[in-house]
């Protein structure tokens, strides 16, 4: 297969935030201990007229606009999410129409809890690498659900990232990818149910840590690399504690984890989580630097990627909002406004 | 809005796709097939608007249609695109933030939905630049 990689990228984060303390106060919990146990201080909240589709479109437009890509070159659009607004009717067709990529392309929606977006990257890599298409658009977008009062409510956030995958004009090459998948009942949402269920502490060791560490170690074995060969590591960020611990277990330092560690002031953007960390790293990485990114999706699996940044990355700087710019100057909302925006209040 | 009616204009709702008369350099949104100024001398071509402009005037909606009561209060304004056309749109900002003359840019948002079971309508709104 020819070398494939990232031609462009774009991110989108809604402007609203709610503080963990505000949620804790609503449910009579101790905000201080929740903040410390999760290492999350606030999370993004979608506007009342934003959903997975609108976030995916904004991220896709940002990716296309950053490099002034002709959308008609895009031969495949895959959107990973666990909060597609339609159960039947693809998010990806709406994105395709909204960016002007129709009608000569293939499109589908992916669902694999928090790793649907990285599965989309791999699918695009295959199509692009085999020469079946010129460019592919892989999107991870979510307005994550958490039942009122559930532990998930402190972290379930909104945001999305789109990557344009191609063979030439690469800003970063994806040198290798490695996946690990098992049938793991750690987190699920049944058809017709508004909120997911989870296995509590069961989601940690046998689910997140086993899969993400297995995939990251497998990638390093496959590519004969060690943590010292990487400048950055980005791991799925369901909270702050999990990726910090997993990075330590793998042998990475805080310096390698820091630039892509966006969860404390963003929350868990589910399908957008690891990809948001990658986008934050691409915003500042220099040519020649190497990134290890590993997603995690409950159910369960992890996709790991070795990304090497190329000279073209400099051409993309300041052509679209960076992740740190998107995180800047948020508007904080009360729990009542958050509940209204998320449709938790029925009128 | 019915599903067929929405579908027919979908391209122009998702993106600001209009037309441009190369004879008199006038831009139109929604698109016109014939330039009303130049008539048969007019040469019409498709034009994708950049999506930036200024807020000409606005009002605050306190009592919205039944299906979007949760959106109130919201700002409804007339935007003048940099190329010239004017259109009515919701402006995504608090009533206190709205200001005549402020720069705005287009964004992709939900416009409404038929019902909990029905179709979701997406389209263009504007945010402060």
């Amino acid at each position: 297969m020819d070398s494939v990689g990232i031609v462009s990228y774009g991110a989108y984060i809604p402007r609203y935030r709610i503080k963990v303390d505000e949620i804790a106060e609503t449910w009579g919990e101790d905000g201080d201990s929740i903040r410390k146990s999760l290492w999350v201080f606030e999370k993004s909240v979608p506007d009342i007229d934003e959903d997975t589709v609108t976030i995916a479109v904004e991220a896709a437009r940002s990716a296309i606009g950053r490099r002034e890509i002709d959308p008609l070159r895009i031969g495949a659009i895959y959107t990973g999410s666990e909060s597609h607004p339609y159960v039947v009717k693809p998010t990806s067709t709406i994105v395709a129409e909204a960016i002007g990529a129709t009608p000569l392309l293939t499109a589908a929606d992916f669902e694999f809890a928090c790793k649907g977006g990285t599965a989309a990257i791999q699918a695009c890599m295959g199509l692009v690498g085999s020469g079946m298409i010129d460019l592919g658009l892989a999107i991870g977008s979510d307005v994550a659900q958490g039942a009122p009062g559930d532990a998930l409510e402190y972290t379930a956030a909104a945001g999305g990232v789109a990557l344009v995958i191609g063979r030439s004009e690469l800003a970063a090459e994806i040198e290798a990818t490695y996946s690990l998948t098992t049938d793991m009942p750690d987190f699920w949402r049944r058809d017709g149910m508004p909120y997911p269920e989870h296995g509590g502490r069961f989601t940690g060791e046998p689910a997140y840590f086993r899969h993400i560490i297995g995939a990251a170690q497998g990638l390093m074995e496959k590519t004969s690399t060690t943590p010292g060969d990487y400048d950055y590591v980005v791991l799925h960020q369901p909270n702050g504690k999990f990726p910090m611990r997993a990075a330590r277990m793998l042998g990475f330092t805080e310096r390698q984890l820091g630039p892509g560690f966006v969860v404390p002031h963003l929350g868990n953007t589910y399908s957008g989580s690891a990809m948001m960390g990658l986008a934050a790293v691409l915003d500042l990485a220099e040519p020649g630097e190497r990134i290890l990114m590993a997603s995690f999706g409950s159910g369960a699996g992890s996709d790991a990627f070795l990304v090497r940044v190329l000279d073209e990355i400099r051409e993309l700087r300041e052509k679209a909002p960076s992740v740190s710019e998107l995180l800047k100057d948020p508007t904080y909302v009360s729990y009542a406004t958050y509940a209204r925006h998320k449709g938790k209040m029925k009128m | 809005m019915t599903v067929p009616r929405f579908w027919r204009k979908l391209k122009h709702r998702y993106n600001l796709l209009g037309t441009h008369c190369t004879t008199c350099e006038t831009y139109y949104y929604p698109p016109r097939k014939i330039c009303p100024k130049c008539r048969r001398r007019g040469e019409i071509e498709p034009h994708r608007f950049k999506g930036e402009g200024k807020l000409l005037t606005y009002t605050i909606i306190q009592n919205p249609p039944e299906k979007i009561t949760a959106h109130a209060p919201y700002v409804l304004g007339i935007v003048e695109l940099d190329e010239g056309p004017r259109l009515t749109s919701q402006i995504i900002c608090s009533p206190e933030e709205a200001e005549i003359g402020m720069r705005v840019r287009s964004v992709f948002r939900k416009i409404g939905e038929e019902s909990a079971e029905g179709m979701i309508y997406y389209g263009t709104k504007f945010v402060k630049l």
Side-chain angles (χ1 to χ4, degrees), chain A:
Chain A
M1 194 164 80
D2 289 344
S3 62
V4 296
I6 299 163
V7 177
S8 187
Y9 67 99
Y12 180 77
I13 299 168
R15 68 184 277 208
Y16 296 103
R17 304 283 181 280
I18 186 167
K19 288 185 183 287
V20 161
D21 285 339
E22 172 74 12
I23 301 172
E25 197 182 323
T26 302
W27 299 109
E29 301 278 354
D30 178 6
D32 193 43
S33 75
I34 289 169
R35 265 188 283 113
K36 284 176 182 157
S37 70
L38 294 173
W39 205 249
V40 173
F41 309 110
E42 60 198 52
K43 67 167 192 172
S44 61
V45 175
D47 205 341
I48 198 161
D49 55 2
E50 289 184 303
D51 64 11
T52 292
V53 168
T54 65
I55 288 171
V57 168
E58 289 294 333
R61 284 181 175 173
S62 175
I64 297 215
R66 190 187 285 275
R67 198 108 192 231
E68 293 178 7
I69 290 165
D70 177 1
L72 295 174
R73 288 179 60 195
I74 294 170
I77 298 180
Y78 297 124
T79 308
S81 180
E82 60 175 78
S83 53
H84 292 290
Y86 290 102
V87 176
V88 179
K89 166 87 184 79
T91 296
S92 299
T93 57
I94 305 170
V95 175
E97 200 70 62
I99 62 168
T102 55
L104 300 180
L105 78 163
T106 181
D109 288 355
F110 286 5
E111 189 283 313
F112 195 148
C114 297
K115 83 161 193 79
T118 55
I121 298 174
Q122 291 177 327
C124 286
M125 286 174 67
L127 291 174
V128 164
S130 66
M132 282 177 68
I133 60 170
D134 179 11
L135 297 174
L137 185 63
I139 303 170
S141 173
D142 256 307
V143 285
Q145 308 115 335
D150 188 276
L152 285 175
E153 202 181 24
Y154 291 102
T155 54
V161 175
L163 300 184
V164 179
I165 305 295
R167 268 188 312 273
S168 57
E169 308 155 81
L170 301 182
E173 182 182 350
I174 301 175
E175 291 189 342
T177 182
Y178 185 97
S179 292
L180 193 146
T181 306
T182 71
D183 185 10
M184 169 62 56
D186 58 320
F187 178 97
W188 59 88
R189 180 164 67 85
R190 294 281 303 273
D191 191 22
M193 294 293 110
Y195 300 113
E197 297 288 322
H198 55 88
R201 297 180 72 176
F202 184 60
T203 58
E205 291 301 335
Y208 180 86
F209 289 99
R210 179 181 161 208
H211 291 82
I212 209 161
I213 285 173
Q217 282 176 338
L219 180 81
M220 287 192 278
E221 278 169 28
K222 180 179 170 180
T223 56
S224 303
T225 55
T226 63
D229 295 320
Y230 294 88
D231 299 281
Y232 307 96
V233 63
V234 177
L235 304 174
H236 172 56
Q237 301 165 33
N239 53 52
K241 282 285 171 74
F242 276 25
M244 281 198 285
R245 197 174 137 211
R248 264 199 310 273
M249 289 164 76
L250 284 162
F252 289 96
T253 63
E254 279 184 25
R255 187 187 57 77
Q256 289 165 301
L257 183 71
F261 189 62
V262 292
V263 67
H265 296 282
L266 173 62
N268 179 6
T269 51
Y270 284 42
S271 300
S273 174
M275 291 169 72
M276 193 69 76
L278 176 66
V281 170
L282 290 174
D283 285 338
L284 49 82
E286 292 296 329
E289 291 188 322
R290 278 173 153 186
I291 306 160
L292 188 151
M293 173 180 74
S295 64
F296 170 74
S298 291
S302 174
D303 303 323
F305 300 82
L306 194 175
V307 179
R308 186 168 55 91
V309 180
L310 302 175
D311 290 341
E312 290 282 316
I313 196 80
R314 292 204 173 107
E315 303 298 315
L316 307 190
R317 296 265 158 81
E318 293 167 20
K319 299 273 175 63
S322 67
V323 173
S324 64
E325 283 168 341
L326 292 166
L327 283 169
K328 235 180 351 195
D329 302 325
T331 300
Y332 290 99
V333 296
S334 64
Y335 189 89
T337 302
Y338 157 74
R340 192 161 60 92
H341 282 207
K342 292 281 289 171
K344 292 179 189 229
M345 277 180 181
K346 300 295 176 198
M347 298 179 73

Side-chain angles (χ1 to χ4, degrees), chain B residues 55 57-61 74-79 88-91 98:
Chain B
L55 184 60
T57 185
Y58 68 93
T59 186
I60 311 296
I61 305 293
Y74 65 84
V75 180
L76 190 72
I78 295 176
V79 172
T88 305
S89 169
Q90 188 178 335
I91 313 298

